[in-house]
Structures are given as C-alpha cells and as structure tokens.
Amino acid sequence: MDGRGELLQRLKRLNPAQFEEVLFRLGIDPAIIPSPFAEQSLRAIRVIQRLEQETEGFERLNQTLAESAISIIGEQYIGYEI
C-alpha cells in the first residue's frame, strides 16, 4: 500500500474529471473539501485528512486509484470510421 505522501502526489496528478470521480467512488461529501475552484493540491490534502479518519481509508483510495476506469476519464477518444 502506498503511503500518505505517495497517495497525495497521485491525487494531485489527476485531471479534474478524474479527481471528481475518485471523490464520488469514495463517497466523500464534496461539502467537506474545498470547492472545485480551489487548487487541487488543497483539495487532495483535505481528502487525505478525511481518509486518515478511517481504518482502511488509504486502502480504499489505493484501490480506487488503481481502477482502470479512473485512468481513462477525461481522455479524448479518437474513433475510427467503420
């Protein structure tokens, strides 16, 4: 399992759509973290602080970040004609 610092860095590297999806999948109430207009690093710190309160919070975050669906959110799809 990744440590606090590594998880924080991974959250900070997500694009905004990915970050919002992680929040949704973790069930974190958006009202307890800074708004989407705040710097993502501040929002990521607050998510880490929130997950520290759970026994397996970092484990859940690690699993969520590892999901393949998270990595493709926000990427452009270049389709091909059939």
Side-chain angles (χ1 to χ4, degrees):
M1 180 172 73
D2 293 340
R4 182 181 203 262
E6 176 61 30
L7 289 171
L8 178 60
Q9 291 305 313
R10 289 175 66 190
L11 281 174
K12 288 168 42 175
R13 286 192 299 261
L14 296 175
N15 69 44
Q18 291 170 322
F19 191 86
E20 293 302 321
E21 183 67 19
V22 168
L23 292 181
F24 176 76
R25 289 175 184 248
L26 290 172
I28 294 179
D29 182 3
I32 66 168
I33 63 170
S35 79
F37 298 108
E39 289 183 32
Q40 189 156 311
S41 59
L42 295 175
R43 300 181 80 214
I45 290 169
R46 185 62 187 111
V47 168
I48 294 292
Q49 290 172 340
R50 166 64 181 80
L51 292 174
E52 284 178 326
Q53 299 171 4
E54 298 178 19
T55 306
E56 296 184 11
F58 286 172
E59 176 77 22
R60 288 191 326 118
L61 177 56
N62 218 4
Q63 290 172 353
T64 302
L65 290 172
E67 292 179 19
S68 58
I70 297 298
S71 64
I72 63 171
I73 292 173
E75 292 185 13
Q76 279 191 312
Y77 173 72
I78 300 174
Y80 296 97
E81 286 188 35
I82 298 177

